[in-house]
Amino acid sequence: MTKNFILDTNVLLYDPQALFKFKEHNIIVPITVIEEVDRFKKDMNETGRNARQVSRYLDDMRKEGTLSAGIALESGGVLRVEMYEEKFMKNLPPELREERGDNRILAVAMRVKEQDSASPVIFVTKDTNLRIKADALGLTAEDYESDKVDIQELYSGCSEIEVAPELVDRFHGQGWVTVEGGAFYPNQCVTLRDEANPSHAALGKFRADDGKIIPLHKVAKDGIWSILPRNREQAFAFDLLLDDSVKLVTLVGKAGTGKTLLAIAAGLHKTAEENVYNRLLVSRPVFPMGRDLGFLPGDIEEKLAPWMQPIFDNVELLLSGHEAEKRHSKGYKELMAMGIMEIEPLTYIRGRSIPLQYMIVDEAQNLTPHEIKTIITRAGEGTKIVLTGDPYQIDNPYVDSSSNGLTYVVERFKEQSISGHVTMTKGERSELAELAANLL
């Protein structure tokens, strides 16, 4: 049965392609949504670009017919712009008759339901309160879930299997094993545990080319820039971070699990010591926690300094323990002056091509799937991209733990041989930080 999907403004600002993602069903865009989209078209951020793209799509469709009458879509449905009239407000309770954009959109939805009672009417919005209002009015209300990932079912990147004792011994002896009946994704981290003796185990990684489980990258006794893995998840993460054949690494975990620290340590090792990459490029989205401080004075480097301070803190920690490299004793500013490390604002990354660089995007959970796509498609020949973040700590009002770009990439890339992922659960920052992450 053909359904009528009524789209809210935030759906189109989140994903302009939403106009084409409802298969054979009809799409109705209230005229109020067009008005609200128009208010964002001059913004120079991702929302503004999406607003302009929505306008372009609708303008192109207008050439094929009249939007008010409906334009046939390639998928089989019809898209139309529904006009608003004051009399539609009579379909709403007195509390919702105030002339506001949300109320007008709800009034149009109620009108559509009244006119076409034979077809199910579904109101699609990313606004939680608006979904509640719609439900209270008897409308079927849904979140836009085209790019959603079930966070509870998110690919962990790690697997533990019980095997015969001799298989663990053979793994240590010959340096590889195959597991019959084992189904693994490329670069999936595997724990081989003795079924008779749980303490007898081995850590490895699945190599998709030949179906073998191979040992992890050996970390020197003094560590990678003085950092040694403290648990198996960190050992798995270090292996992916140091493997040049893995071009995209995603690290997901709560605060204090070592995601950013391990990524920067591996990046400095590959850049400053092994010279595999020309530069360590570090960035993070600019989203304040709580009330924003407003505009910051100074040039671009000075403006970014407060946002990048967590990165600098990690670099200083690494430098303070890296006694072998005396030339780095002056801190992160010297690394930047030498061209070894660079801070990149994501605002200006569109259109760039970034070859031979080790790129770390911290707090990637605050990015939308489209923004993540923009970043990854900047990667030139020889570039490695590391995305880190905690899906439960999101400051971007337009995404949540299931619809953010980080979890989206984890699911989309899990079958690719040039990507790897680890979900980190054990906090190592401090006993206090671990308790806070678990209890608060």
Side-chain angles (χ1 to χ4, degrees):
M1 180 183 294
T2 301
K3 301 175 182 177
N4 293 321
F5 284 95
I6 300 173
L7 305 189
D8 190 16
T9 311
N10 48 46
V11 173
L12 297 178
L13 293 178
Y14 175 80
D15 180 14
Q17 293 287 333
L19 292 169
F20 311 104
K21 290 186 176 178
F22 289 87
K23 299 182 181 178
E24 72 278 8
H25 303 294
N26 299 328
I27 296 176
I28 299 169
V29 180
I31 190 66
T32 306
V33 169
I34 307 297
E35 288 185 80
E36 293 182 344
V37 166
D38 187 64
R39 294 182 195 138
F40 290 92
K41 68 181 182 182
K42 293 184 179 180
D43 292 358
M44 298 309 295
N45 52 23
E46 193 67 26
T47 302
R49 283 188 284 270
N50 289 345
R52 292 189 291 274
Q53 186 61 57
V54 169
S55 299
R56 283 192 288 267
Y57 282 147
L58 293 175
D59 191 45
D60 288 340
M61 292 179 190
R62 188 178 57 82
K63 299 172 185 176
E64 301 175 14
T66 305
L67 287 170
S68 59
I71 304 293
L73 300 171
E74 291 184 5
S75 59
V78 173
L79 182 146
R80 78 173 190 267
V81 174
E82 190 75 15
M83 300 305 292
Y84 164 78
E85 297 180 26
E86 288 187 13
K87 63 181 181 180
F88 294 174
M89 280 292 182
K90 295 178 181 179
N91 292 324
L92 299 182
E95 294 84 359
L96 297 179
R97 290 179 186 172
E98 182 183 349
E99 285 288 332
R100 294 176 52 195
D102 286 354
N103 295 341
R104 289 184 176 188
I105 294 171
L106 285 174
V108 169
M110 293 293 289
R111 178 69 171 183
V112 171
K113 182 180 179 181
E114 179 185 319
Q115 288 182 326
D116 189 1
S117 58
S119 300
V121 174
I122 301 171
F123 181 51
V124 184
T125 177
K126 298 189 71 63
D127 186 329
T128 305
N129 287 332
L130 200 49
R131 289 200 299 271
I132 294 171
K133 291 179 184 179
D135 186 76
L137 292 171
L139 287 168
T140 301
E142 295 181 357
D143 192 0
Y144 179 66
E145 299 184 345
S146 174
D147 298 329
K148 281 218 168 194
V149 175
D150 186 348
I151 190 67
Q152 302 299 327
E153 301 295 329
L154 184 68
Y155 170 57
S156 69
C158 305
S159 177
E160 181 174 321
I161 55 174
E162 291 187 349
V163 297
E166 54 269 20
L167 193 66
V168 179
D169 294 332
R170 194 190 319 156
F171 178 79
H172 288 301
Q174 69 181 14
W176 62 270
V177 293
T178 57
V179 178
E180 293 185 6
F184 305 105
Y185 290 109
N187 299 312
Q188 185 168 354
C189 301
V190 182
T191 301
L192 300 172
R193 196 171 296 283
D194 186 338
E195 57 190 5
N197 180 14
S199 62
H200 183 215
L203 304 182
K205 179 178 67 177
F206 180 69
R207 188 167 60 192
D209 293 345
D210 53 13
K212 295 178 179 178
I213 297 175
I214 58 174
L216 301 181
H217 184 283
K218 288 187 178 180
V219 178
K221 291 183 178 180
D222 56 350
I224 303 296
W225 278 65
S226 75
I227 299 297
L228 286 164
R230 294 187 177 184
N231 56 56
R232 64 176 175 173
E233 292 166 357
Q234 291 192 353
F236 290 149
F238 252 146
D239 179 85
L240 297 175
L241 292 167
L242 296 171
D243 188 343
D244 297 329
S245 67
V246 180
K247 300 299 183 183
L248 175 66
V249 177
T250 49
L251 301 179
V252 169
K254 62 186 180 182
T257 50
K259 307 179 297 293
T260 308
L261 183 65
L262 296 180
I264 294 175
L268 287 173
H269 178 76
K270 286 290 181 179
T271 304
E273 296 184 3
E274 294 189 357
N275 296 317
V276 176
Y277 304 94
N278 293 339
R279 185 184 294 109
L280 172 62
L281 191 62
V282 187
S283 191
R284 65 202 302 264
V286 178
F287 279 101
M289 184 182 75
R291 188 178 295 275
D292 197 355
L293 293 175
F295 291 104
L296 299 173
D299 56 23
I300 187 67
E301 185 176 331
E302 292 171 324
K303 289 178 184 293
L304 282 174
W307 304 107
M308 296 301 167
Q309 194 57 49
I311 303 296
F312 299 149
D313 292 343
N314 280 293
V315 174
E316 290 293 345
L317 175 63
L318 293 170
L319 295 176
S320 65
H322 195 59
E323 299 177 353
E325 292 287 346
K326 296 296 183 183
R327 62 193 180 94
H328 293 324
S329 59
K330 291 184 180 179
Y332 69 87
K333 290 186 178 179
E334 184 180 354
L335 289 177
M336 296 176 69
M338 296 169 63
I340 294 174
M341 186 175 79
E342 181 179 330
I343 302 300
E344 172 71 25
L346 292 177
T347 308
Y348 308 112
I349 200 170
R350 184 180 291 272
R352 287 194 60 188
S353 180
I354 305 173
L356 284 172
Q357 297 190 33
Y358 197 106
M359 182 176 180
I360 300 172
V361 180
D362 195 26
E363 303 291 342
Q365 79 277 2
N366 279 317
L367 298 170
T368 67
H370 184 70
E371 287 170 331
I372 285 283
K373 177 182 177 180
T374 301
I375 292 167
I376 297 177
T377 53
R378 299 305 99 208
E381 193 67 34
T383 287
K384 184 185 185 91
I385 295 183
V386 180
L387 305 174
T388 69
D390 178 3
Y392 293 102
Q393 290 189 357
I394 293 181
D395 302 307
N396 184 347
Y398 292 102
V399 300
D400 57 29
S401 60
S402 298
S403 65
N404 65 86
L406 179 60
T407 53
Y408 179 68
V409 167
V410 171
E411 283 297 314
R412 284 301 182 99
F413 271 83
K414 66 183 179 183
E415 297 181 6
Q416 305 304 313
S417 60
I418 63 170
S419 71
H421 169 69
V422 176
T423 298
M424 307 174 74
T425 58
K426 191 174 189 313
E428 298 288 356
R429 180 174 290 159
S430 67
E431 181 182 1
L432 175 59
E434 172 70 353
L435 284 171
N438 291 331
L439 299 178
L440 301 181

